[in-house]
Amino acid sequence: MGRIKKKGTSGAAKNYITRTRAVKKLQISLPDFRRLCIFKGIYPREPRNKKKVSKGSTAATTFYYTRDIQYLFHEPLLNKFREHKAVAKKIGRALGRGEVGDAARLEKTHIPKIKLDLIIKERYPTFVDALRDLDDALSMLFLFANLPSTPHVPSKTIALCQRLCLEFQHYVIISHSLRKSFLSIKGIYYQATIQGQDILWLVPYRFVQRTAGDIDFRIMGTFVEFYTTLLGFVNFRLYTSVGLVYPPKFNAKSDEEGGELGAFQLEGKGVASGDEHVTNGNAPEAIASDRAQAEADKVAALPDSEESDTATALVQTGEDENTEAIDTFEPTAQDADTLPQPQASSAELASLFAPFTFYLSRETPKAPLEFILKAFGCKRVGWDSILGDGAFTTNESDTAITHQIVDRPALLNSSLPEVPDAPETANGDAPKAQWPRSAMPGRTYIQPQWVWDCINQGKLLRPDLYAPSAELPPHLSPWVKPSKGEYNPNIPLEQQELEGEAEAFEEEEMEESADDGDSDIAAAPAVNGKNKDIEAIVDRDSSVEAGEGMDLAESESDSDVREENEDTEKAQGDEWDGFESDAESDISEGEVERRQHQRELEAEAAGVSVELSLPTTKSKNAKVRKKAEKKRKQEEEERERQKMMLPRRKRKLLKRIEHGTNKRDKEAENLRSKRRRIEKASSSAIAL
């Protein structure tokens, strides 16, 4: 007889450990345990069967992997936590005796300092691993950089987060690694590609932040402590990889005046004539020389044959860049597949705004616009002096400005107060031109969305579509590509709507505007037909109901009977079309024309004048709608015949697919209907 195993000593019960047992084994407090787990990257786990793990108990319990807790037994940070606890007891004892000086001395000299350098190297063996985990770090640090100073969030932490974030933004500007950005309700999303890794982070808007009392800032502060160390290592590696000195020089006076990015001066290494500083208007020559040297080293390392081929390809590429534009793949048919379009090269994106000089009005967000414009090649960005230090120019009337970004409506001159003629200055310069009273000739005035849409599409868009007070085009996420059948606000309705959908909408609007009373009673059959038509447009396959085919536990006989009943009901529904308001609905078009011609001949023989019935808009719409409905019915019948040839299981799977497709089509149809109403209201308002 074998040995009987004791319950809870093997299997899942041994692989998991509760948080209470883990804290007792490590002999530390619960806050220190949480802090240690955050530093080491150990998180709670959810077992598959909680009863087996907790020995039959169903209480809410937090579990960890036993192997992860054993991994923490020999962690050097445990000794630091224990030393900190011992010094805290001594400080408390000194304060209890009233020895404030001794307590201050103990806190200053005996509190152990925790360094996370070894943990960073342990969690990220390679630099690419650190870049992959940089999304959450940047989002957290940018959040704390915009928080106000409170007892829970000290000012030193905020200043450190701001410095690290601005240093990272400077690298993105110098390397031109920013690819996309999106304005959302939560904030501004940015995506940069650094060494082949896509990094996405969120920057909140600069509104007044109010911290709620239910936020545990101790846990968030632990994450910030780890992320600041991580970003410091990453910034050092990024700066040294492009030949820059880290940390960059920091001008405290410029930072106090709101310089932000302008408060840092980047310096290049290895320049014989001295260090070159990066300011608003120039770039370090060391970076260009280092990049050229790196490319030369790559070419020199290649074999002779590959070197000649590479050189020839580089020469051909340089010649073709200025003469040929990017090819685009246009679909040959309306229902054809959409091919991925070629995108602009990184060199073209890096110089997208290079030829221009921008001026930011006071109402525009200076920080994100300055960052994006400089990241895409703009060397000269000016703004009003009240927005901070570091502008290329603070004179709004500067003739070098080519684009001015404004975010206020253009007012009529009659609504503006009268302003006396401004006298000329002593130097003979013209007075400043103030928007919206006057505009500088030759300058392009645009709204901020133009900048974001240009970088997302990789080209310069028409500025007249983004003029002040103009109705802006939809600002869509660059990471969501509309698939076939979904609503796309960038495409006109005529290219998206189904056949007969516009006519059905017009009939619906006409019937809604009809008078009450007898007209409502007379139009009742038409309304029923209209609802049926709209339902046929929204739900192409009327045999699929919501949730149908989702029950997998039903028996085969029940499912077969239910399918036969559905087919019978559908056949009856196809035969019964309801009452028709027109007696000629069951007659072909040729028969209708023949009868109309016969009535005209009889009236002419009797000497009675016959008024020719001109086709109205409603009749035309009904004709187009019925033709589209007939075509859809034929397609549905053909689809049903094809479904009958499938096995039962595949038929169920197809019904689930059709259910999702119908749901997507219904949402798209609702959005198109909403857009059609908005366009109709705007056109009527313009007509008035």
Side-chain angles (χ1 to χ4, degrees):
M1 182 176 177
R3 180 179 296 180
I4 300 176
K5 286 186 178 181
K6 189 177 180 180
K7 186 177 182 181
T9 58
S10 63
K14 187 178 180 181
N15 295 335
Y16 293 91
I17 185 174
T18 62
R19 187 180 63 183
T20 305
R21 290 180 56 198
V23 170
K24 288 182 179 179
K25 280 181 175 292
L26 295 174
Q27 297 181 2
I28 56 176
S29 62
L30 181 59
D32 289 342
F33 174 76
R34 290 172 176 166
R35 192 179 181 193
L36 182 62
C37 289
I38 291 173
F39 288 156
K40 300 293 290 185
I42 297 174
Y43 301 100
R45 306 294 179 175
E46 185 71 18
R48 294 183 178 179
N49 194 334
K50 275 192 173 184
K51 283 190 175 182
K52 290 183 178 180
V53 175
S54 57
K55 301 178 182 179
S57 177
T58 57
T61 311
T62 304
F63 294 96
Y64 292 85
Y65 281 146
T66 306
R67 188 175 300 176
D68 292 341
I69 302 302
Q70 291 176 350
Y71 178 66
L72 297 177
F73 282 161
H74 304 286
E75 176 59 37
L77 284 180
L78 283 176
N79 296 329
K80 294 290 184 180
F81 290 157
R82 289 163 184 162
E83 292 175 6
H84 187 280
K85 185 178 180 181
V87 175
K89 285 183 179 180
K90 293 180 181 180
I91 293 174
R93 195 178 301 115
L95 290 176
R97 292 196 297 260
E99 299 173 354
V100 181
D102 292 344
R105 178 181 56 83
L106 289 171
E107 184 178 2
K108 183 178 181 180
T109 59
H110 289 72
I111 290 291
K113 295 182 179 179
I114 297 176
K115 294 184 178 180
L116 305 177
D117 302 353
L118 295 177
I119 294 181
I120 296 295
K121 294 179 181 179
E122 178 185 334
R123 289 187 61 177
Y124 307 107
T126 62
F127 185 62
V128 176
D129 296 332
L131 292 178
R132 289 172 183 170
D133 202 20
L134 208 59
D135 297 356
D136 295 337
L138 289 174
S139 299
M140 178 70 77
L141 295 183
F142 273 100
L143 172 63
F144 269 74
N146 293 324
L147 287 179
S149 178
T150 60
H152 302 288
V153 186
S155 58
K156 291 183 179 180
T157 302
I158 297 174
L160 178 60
C161 294
Q162 291 175 351
R163 181 178 66 83
L164 291 173
C165 292
L166 291 175
E167 289 174 358
F168 180 78
Q169 285 184 340
H170 266 295
Y171 171 78
V172 173
I173 292 172
I174 291 298
S175 61
H176 300 291
S177 55
L178 188 64
R179 292 294 176 263
K180 298 176 183 178
S181 181
F182 176 60
L183 299 169
S184 69
I185 298 177
K186 297 180 180 179
I188 305 176
Y189 286 92
Y190 298 97
Q191 182 183 359
T193 303
I194 301 176
Q195 297 188 10
Q197 302 298 323
D198 292 334
I199 303 173
L200 180 67
W201 72 94
L202 173 65
V203 179
Y205 294 114
R206 295 195 172 181
F207 297 140
V208 178
Q209 303 288 344
R210 296 180 181 178
T211 56
D214 56 347
I215 301 176
D216 193 347
F217 281 98
R218 291 186 302 173
I219 295 179
M220 297 183 68
T222 304
F223 278 104
V224 169
E225 182 180 359
F226 176 77
Y227 287 151
T228 50
T229 309
L230 172 62
L231 189 57
F233 276 98
V234 171
N235 286 346
F236 171 77
R237 179 68 178 270
L238 293 177
Y239 272 62
T240 54
S241 64
V242 295
L244 292 176
V245 177
Y246 186 83
K249 286 187 177 181
F250 178 70
N251 190 348
K253 183 179 179 181
S254 177
D255 184 66
E256 291 176 358
E257 296 176 356
E260 296 182 348
L261 286 174
F264 291 86
Q265 293 180 349
L266 307 186
E267 300 175 349
K269 297 189 298 184
V271 183
S273 60
D275 294 338
E276 297 290 338
H277 300 288
V278 177
T279 57
N280 194 354
N282 54 27
E285 299 177 357
I287 298 175
S289 62
D290 289 341
R291 289 180 180 173
Q293 184 63 33
E295 294 296 334
D297 294 340
K298 290 181 180 178
V299 175
L302 296 175
D304 296 338
S305 59
E306 295 184 3
E307 182 178 354
S308 60
D309 296 342
T310 305
T312 307
L314 290 175
V315 172
Q316 293 178 356
T317 304
E319 295 176 355
D320 296 342
E321 279 182 354
N322 300 327
T323 58
E324 296 183 2
I326 299 178
D327 296 332
T328 57
F329 301 129
E330 300 294 340
T332 57
Q334 185 177 1
D335 298 335
D337 295 335
T338 304
L339 299 176
Q341 302 296 333
Q343 298 179 355
S345 63
S346 58
E348 295 176 354
L349 292 176
S351 60
L352 187 63
F353 301 132
F356 308 132
T357 301
F358 286 85
Y359 185 85
L360 310 179
S361 299
R362 291 176 296 175
E363 69 278 1
T364 57
K366 172 209 153 191
L369 284 173
E370 180 189 5
F371 171 58
I372 290 179
L373 292 174
K374 290 183 177 180
F376 283 88
C378 183
K379 300 295 188 299
R380 302 170 298 276
V381 183
W383 53 79
D384 197 278
S385 58
I386 64 173
L387 294 180
D389 190 25
F392 172 74
T393 179
T394 57
N395 183 13
E396 190 175 354
S397 301
D398 193 345
T399 57
I401 300 173
T402 59
H403 291 71
Q404 182 169 350
I405 302 178
V406 297
D407 196 13
R408 66 182 78 173
L411 303 178
L412 300 175
N413 292 330
S414 59
S415 61
L416 297 173
E418 297 183 359
V419 177
D421 296 337
E424 294 185 356
T425 59
N427 299 331
D429 297 335
K432 283 189 176 183
Q434 299 293 335
W435 173 265
R437 182 174 297 279
S438 58
M440 293 292 293
R443 183 179 300 181
T444 303
Y445 291 87
I446 49 177
Q447 298 189 47
Q449 184 181 331
W450 180 80
V451 178
W452 271 271
D453 290 350
C454 285
I455 66 174
N456 289 336
Q457 298 189 23
K459 61 181 180 180
L460 297 175
L461 303 177
R462 291 172 48 187
D464 58 318
L465 300 178
Y466 300 85
S469 302
E471 185 177 354
L472 296 173
H475 180 62
L476 305 178
S477 173
W479 298 284
V480 178
K481 301 300 181 183
S483 59
K484 184 179 178 181
E486 293 183 354
Y487 171 73
N488 189 356
N490 288 330
I491 301 178
L493 283 175
E494 293 76 11
Q495 300 180 12
Q496 301 185 66
E497 61 189 9
L498 303 176
E499 185 179 359
E501 182 178 345
E503 288 76 10
F505 177 79
E506 292 181 3
E507 288 188 9
E508 181 182 357
E509 292 294 326
M510 294 175 61
E511 291 172 358
E512 287 180 357
S513 60
D515 296 333
D516 297 336
D518 296 338
S519 61
D520 293 338
I521 300 174
V527 171
N528 294 333
K530 178 256 308 183
N531 292 334
K532 178 182 176 183
D533 297 334
I534 293 178
E535 290 177 1
I537 293 172
V538 174
D539 191 359
R540 301 177 195 174
D541 193 354
S542 58
S543 63
V544 180
E545 299 294 340
E548 184 179 357
M550 304 298 292
D551 189 5
L552 301 179
E554 62 180 357
S555 62
E556 297 183 1
S557 59
D558 295 341
S559 61
D560 295 339
V561 172
R562 182 173 56 81
E563 290 176 2
E564 292 177 0
N565 295 335
E566 289 175 359
D567 296 339
T568 306
E569 292 175 0
K570 177 172 176 54
Q572 295 176 356
D574 293 339
E575 295 176 358
W576 172 253
D577 292 335
F579 297 99
E580 294 290 341
S581 58
D582 190 1
E584 299 174 350
S585 59
D586 297 334
I587 309 174
S588 63
E589 296 179 3
E591 183 67 17
V592 171
E593 294 178 357
R594 190 188 64 79
R595 291 188 180 184
Q596 178 67 18
H597 181 65
Q598 181 66 24
R599 285 195 294 267
E600 292 176 359
L601 293 177
E602 293 176 357
E604 183 179 359
V608 180
S609 60
V610 178
E611 296 181 357
L612 297 177
S613 58
L614 298 177
T616 61
T617 305
K618 185 175 181 180
S619 61
K620 291 180 180 179
N621 293 342
K623 185 177 180 181
V624 174
R625 177 177 53 80
K626 290 179 180 179
K627 185 177 180 181
E629 181 185 1
K630 182 179 179 181
K631 182 179 178 181
R632 277 191 294 273
K633 285 185 177 180
Q634 292 177 354
E635 293 177 354
E636 290 174 1
E637 291 175 357
E638 180 64 23
R639 187 175 181 83
E640 287 296 329
R641 283 193 292 268
Q642 294 177 358
K643 287 167 61 177
M644 291 175 62
M645 304 298 296
L646 295 175
R648 185 180 58 85
R649 290 184 180 179
K650 292 185 177 181
R651 199 182 310 146
K652 281 187 175 183
L653 179 60
L654 182 60
K655 285 186 177 181
R656 296 194 194 102
I657 296 174
E658 289 177 346
H659 172 69
T661 304
N662 292 335
K663 184 178 180 181
R664 181 201 63 191
D665 294 343
K666 186 175 181 180
E667 293 176 354
E669 199 267 339
N670 291 335
L671 291 174
R672 289 195 296 267
S673 177
K674 184 178 180 181
R675 178 179 174 181
R676 201 177 286 109
R677 289 191 180 92
I678 293 174
E679 291 181 354
K680 184 178 180 180
S682 60
S683 61
S684 60
I686 294 174
L688 293 176

